[in-house]
Amino acid sequence: MPQTKELLHVLAVDDSLVDRKVIERLLKISSFTAVESGSSALQYLGLDGEKSSSVEFDRVNLIITDYSMPGMSGYQLLKKLKTSSALRKIPVVIMSSENIMSRIDRCLEQGAEDFLVKPVKLSDVERLKDYMLKGQGEDDKVKAAYKRKLQEDDPSSQSLSKRPPLVN
Amino acid sequence: MDIVNQLQRQYVDFLSSLYREGLLDDQFLQIQKLQDESNPDFVNEVVTLFFEDSEKLLHNLAIALSVDQQHVDYQKVDACVHQFKGSSSSIGAQRVRNICVSFRTCYDAKNLEGCLRCLQQVKDEYYLVKNKLQTLFRLEQQIVAAGGAIPIMG
């Protein structure tokens, strides 16, 4: 049962300070941590192998990460998270300023829940709460297949969602 | 009441002109939507971060492009412009963002002259939008000081 009264904890990863501020506000969730790199994210989650985790990692409900970052990319971070038995169940969403189909496919195949094209809007973020609240019952591959979308068709909604209407 | 109405109309006209002239796009409206009683200064805070970030980037770009052709670190230029493009896009500074897009073709081609031209253009557009946004905030402050509410544009 989703515990809607529980504080939801989101970890956002982005090298841009402006974007971290915007994402934080977009999420409007009580518990929020922003870090500026993939390696900081892993450190925070206790995956760097050196320090012990600074948070109980089953308390992070969502990780939202930028794709292009210096050092570790969002994709590389995603891979590390999905190959960790401790962390792979945490939903991960990728953000990118570039709308490249092969990039989107690769991220979804690697287990990302969704792929948001920047700049991120309120409507994109509305759905993220669903990922955090629902359980892990669904088959991940099925979810990924339904999320494919031709983004050129629908400039008003830049993230993967239902197929765009054929008539405006 | 009259003064408030006057100021509000001025505000709407001014903001409309910024959209019309392409200085701001829809994303700015998105940012405004995130401001409410619990976060009453949100737009100002984000835009201030944008100003600080941008000025750092412009400074770094000027340094990266102040050397001779063989010594330009185009990767550094790429990193700066990419960041500038991202942040300007996130707050809706459309013209700044667009220059960043053309800037990329110049540094991809390792065209120093082109890059210097783009740098000047992006600086001009940045200072223009900065100036306009500061005027906008001043108008907001005047409206609030006169006891009015800032009009919400749809």
Side-chain angles (χ1 to χ4, degrees):
Chain A
M1 241 6 193
Q3 294 149 326
T4 48
K5 292 212 168 98
E6 198 180 285
L7 293 182
L8 294 174
H9 189 172
V10 178
L11 175 66
V13 190
D14 198 317
D15 59 320
S16 161
L17 185 52
V18 173
D19 285 357
R20 289 202 295 277
K21 176 102 183 156
V22 174
I23 285 288
E24 174 186 22
R25 187 73 191 109
L26 278 171
L27 290 169
K28 290 195 260 196
I29 293 165
S30 41
S31 180
F32 174 92
T33 305
V35 298
E36 68 170 345
S37 70
S39 49
S40 302
L42 292 177
Q43 212 168 52
Y44 180 80
L45 295 163
L47 247 199
D48 64 344
E50 293 188 11
K51 303 180 186 177
S52 59
S53 172
S54 54
V55 71
E56 290 163 25
F57 44 69
D58 59 343
R59 293 304 315 270
V60 175
N61 300 98
L62 174 76
I63 297 172
I64 181 163
T65 178
D66 193 25
Y67 184 93
S68 309
M69 297 183 288
M72 192 187 305
S73 72
Y75 177 73
Q76 289 168 321
L77 174 61
L78 171 67
K79 262 175 47 177
K80 290 207 192 227
L81 293 167
K82 292 306 174 187
T83 49
S84 152
S85 51
L87 300 173
R88 67 161 171 249
K89 291 226 170 107
I90 305 176
V92 182
V93 171
I94 311 279
M95 306 176 279
S96 174
S97 56
E98 285 168 286
N99 176 4
I100 301 171
M101 220 48 215
S102 56
R103 177 180 288 191
I104 298 171
D105 285 352
R106 202 156 26 112
C107 289
L108 294 180
E109 272 155 33
Q110 195 57 47
E113 293 296 320
D114 206 341
F115 188 103
L116 303 177
V117 178
K118 284 181 163 185
V120 181
K121 299 172 171 27
L122 262 171
S123 53
D124 299 326
V125 163
E126 291 301 302
R127 286 190 345 282
L128 295 182
K129 297 187 184 176
D130 294 340
Y131 301 130
M132 290 184 274
L133 295 174
K134 80 166 136 206
Q136 282 113 23
E138 277 185 41
D139 176 56
D140 285 355
K141 293 238 158 58
V142 173
K143 263 193 293 193
Y146 280 124
K147 276 169 192 161
R148 281 173 192 231
K149 179 186 191 291
L150 293 169
Q151 311 217 351
E152 294 83 45
D153 298 332
D154 189 4
S156 63
S157 168
Q158 300 237 322
S159 58
L160 301 171
S161 58
K162 307 186 286 260
R163 285 217 139 252
L166 294 173
V167 183
N168 271 0
Chain B
M1 255 301 131
D2 197 34
I3 238 291
V4 170
N5 283 339
Q6 231 175 52
L7 287 169
Q8 286 172 330
R9 208 163 317 148
Q10 225 182 313
Y11 175 89
V12 171
D13 287 344
F14 186 69
L15 187 51
S16 304
S17 72
L18 299 183
Y19 285 116
R20 216 171 30 243
E21 289 161 30
L23 274 125
L24 294 178
D25 65 22
D26 219 49
Q27 183 63 17
F28 187 73
L29 192 58
Q30 286 284 321
I31 298 286
Q32 285 190 307
K33 277 193 200 171
L34 299 178
Q35 182 161 293
D36 60 19
E37 308 81 48
S38 64
N39 282 260
D41 293 313
F42 179 73
V43 181
N44 203 347
E45 286 167 7
V46 181
V47 172
T48 302
L49 275 177
F50 170 68
F51 291 161
E52 288 168 0
D53 202 45
S54 303
E55 274 151 50
K56 241 182 280 185
L57 291 170
L58 285 172
H59 176 77
N60 293 341
L61 277 169
I63 293 179
L65 294 169
S66 65
V67 295
D68 55 78
Q69 177 67 46
Q70 295 112 301
H71 296 108
V72 179
D73 182 352
Y74 284 106
Q75 270 192 337
K76 176 90 179 146
V77 175
D78 181 5
C80 289
V81 176
H82 178 86
Q83 197 166 326
F84 207 174
K85 174 168 160 258
S87 56
S88 55
S89 166
S90 290
I91 65 143
Q94 187 177 240
R95 292 205 326 215
V96 174
R97 183 199 169 273
N98 290 344
I99 308 269
C100 291
V101 174
S102 16
F103 207 146
R104 184 176 188 168
T105 20
C106 292
Y107 61 75
D108 276 348
K110 295 195 168 34
N111 174 359
L112 178 56
E113 222 179 271
C115 284
L116 288 167
R117 263 200 309 274
C118 284
L119 177 58
Q120 190 56 55
Q121 282 180 305
V122 83
K123 263 172 88 169
D124 291 343
E125 287 298 342
Y126 165 72
Y127 283 110
L128 180 59
V129 80
K130 177 178 182 181
N131 190 276
K132 299 285 185 178
L133 286 170
Q134 287 174 325
T135 303
L136 193 71
F137 292 139
R138 266 196 303 274
L139 273 170
E140 286 184 359
Q141 285 169 334
Q142 285 177 298
I143 293 172
V144 170
I150 300 164
I152 299 173
M153 297 188 38

